[in-house]
Amino acid sequence: MANLAINTTQNVNLDYKTVSIGERMLAALIDFAIFWLYLFIVNFITSLVGIAFKDNWTVFGIQSLLLLPVMFYSLVMHIIFNGRTVGKMILKIRVVRIDGLPAHWSNYLVRWMLRLVDIWIFLASVGILTILFSEKRQRLGDAAAGTVVISNKQKVKISHTILEDLTEDYQPKFTNVTKLSDKDVRLIKETYLIAKKSNDFKTLTALRDKIEQVLEVKSDLYDRQFIDTILKDYNYYTQQ
C-alpha cells in the first residue's frame, strides 16, 4: 500500500492508505461474481418468459430491462453506499475525493463513464496499467474524477481510543474535566494527536483555548502538557 498525504484546510496532514491493485481486482471479482449470479437468474426468468410469450421482441425487451441493474450497478452502489460496492465493502475499501472528503455523485459519474475505456473496451488493460504507473494508484477514471481508492482497515491501538495510560500514583489537576463527554474527549484527542504529529502549534493553541473556555480554567502549563493532562484527568475520573 502507498501512503496518500492529504493536506486539510487547517494545514494538517492526514495519511490515508491507498489500496494495491490486487485488492481492487479482488473487489472487482466479487462484484463480477454477483453479476454472473444475477445474469443466471435473468436467463432463467427470460427462458420462462419465452415459454409464455411467442413474441421474440417481448422477450428481448424484458431481458434488456432486467439487465439495466448490471449496467448501473457500480454508479448506483457508489452513490448510495458512499463510495463502496459489495466487493469494496467486503475488503473494507472505498472511493473518496483526492482531498480525503467524500466524493460527490458527479465524481462517481465520471468514474463510471470511463469504465468503458478502463475496463470494458480494452479488457481492463488500460485500468491496470494506469493504476500500476500512477503514484496514487488511480485508474484513468479516478484521475479524471479526482478520486482515489483508500483502505478503511485500521489497527486499533490505545491511541485510537479515549483511553490513556495512567500510573497507579497519578494525581489529577483539573477536577471539572467531567464536564466533557466521551465524544468531546475523542475529538480533542484526535485533533491533539494530528496536530502534535505535524507540529501544528497554531491548532494546539486553538484547541487549548477552546478547552479552557469550556472548562472555565486557566493553567500555566504549555499547550501539549495542558492537553495531555486534560486527557489523563478525564480518564482518571471516568475510569474509576
Side-chain angles (χ1 to χ4, degrees):
M1 286 186 181
N3 284 330
L4 176 64
I6 297 173
N7 191 274
T8 69
T9 54
Q10 291 78 30
N11 292 320
V12 178
N13 289 318
L14 304 177
D15 290 328
Y16 289 89
K17 293 288 188 181
T18 55
V19 302
S20 66
I21 188 171
E23 287 179 285
R24 293 185 67 160
M25 291 180 68
L26 182 56
L29 287 174
I30 293 172
D31 290 329
F32 280 130
I34 295 173
F35 291 168
W36 283 114
L37 177 61
Y38 181 76
L39 290 174
F40 175 80
I41 296 172
V42 168
N43 186 60
F44 176 73
I45 292 174
T46 51
S47 65
L48 294 178
V49 172
I51 295 174
F53 296 93
K54 302 242 184 216
D55 183 4
N56 291 333
W57 284 106
T58 301
V59 176
F60 176 76
I62 294 174
Q63 188 174 40
S64 300
L65 186 64
L66 290 173
L67 288 176
L68 284 178
V70 174
M71 291 180 58
F72 293 97
Y73 168 84
S74 177
L75 176 62
V76 173
M77 289 292 290
H78 279 101
I79 292 174
I80 294 177
F81 294 102
N82 196 21
R84 297 174 299 167
T85 61
V86 173
K88 288 184 174 71
M89 291 179 194
I90 293 174
L91 293 185
K92 296 182 179 179
I93 62 179
R94 63 189 288 245
V95 177
V96 297
R97 274 175 23 188
I98 198 70
D99 58 5
L101 295 174
H104 188 258
W105 68 264
S106 58
N107 301 117
Y108 299 133
L109 179 62
V110 173
R111 292 183 83 254
W112 175 75
M113 291 173 65
L114 284 173
R115 285 169 65 89
L116 190 65
V117 177
D118 275 332
I119 299 173
W120 301 116
I121 294 179
F122 300 102
L123 302 177
S125 59
V126 172
I128 291 173
L129 288 174
T130 51
I131 291 172
L132 286 175
F133 292 102
S134 168
E135 181 183 355
K136 298 181 178 69
R137 303 289 190 265
Q138 295 171 293
R139 65 175 176 86
L140 187 62
D142 285 314
T147 58
V148 69
V149 182
I150 65 170
S151 174
N152 285 334
K153 300 172 188 172
Q154 295 182 352
K155 295 180 180 178
V156 178
K157 300 178 181 178
I158 191 170
S159 61
H160 296 160
T161 69
I162 64 172
L163 299 177
E164 293 286 330
D165 287 319
L166 300 178
T167 59
E168 292 184 3
D169 59 347
Y170 180 80
Q171 295 297 319
K173 295 180 176 61
F174 303 101
T175 58
N176 59 340
V177 290
T178 51
K179 291 175 64 176
L180 300 171
S181 66
D182 283 355
K183 183 178 179 180
D184 294 332
V185 175
R186 185 175 293 107
L187 179 60
I188 290 170
K189 185 167 185 177
E190 288 175 356
T191 307
Y192 171 58
L193 291 177
I194 293 172
K196 186 171 69 170
K197 181 179 178 181
S198 58
N199 291 320
D200 187 351
F201 304 111
K202 185 176 180 180
T203 298
L204 284 172
T205 301
L207 180 61
R208 183 239 178 86
D209 292 342
K210 185 63 177 178
I211 295 171
E212 286 186 333
Q213 178 185 343
V214 171
L215 297 182
E216 299 178 340
V217 298
K218 285 292 181 181
S219 173
D220 295 329
L221 296 173
Y222 291 113
D223 293 343
R224 289 190 181 185
Q225 292 175 314
F226 174 76
I227 298 170
D228 188 59
T229 301
I230 290 294
L231 294 172
K232 288 181 177 178
D233 285 0
Y234 182 82
N235 271 260
Y236 177 87
Y237 286 114
T238 59
Q239 303 301 324
Q240 297 297 315

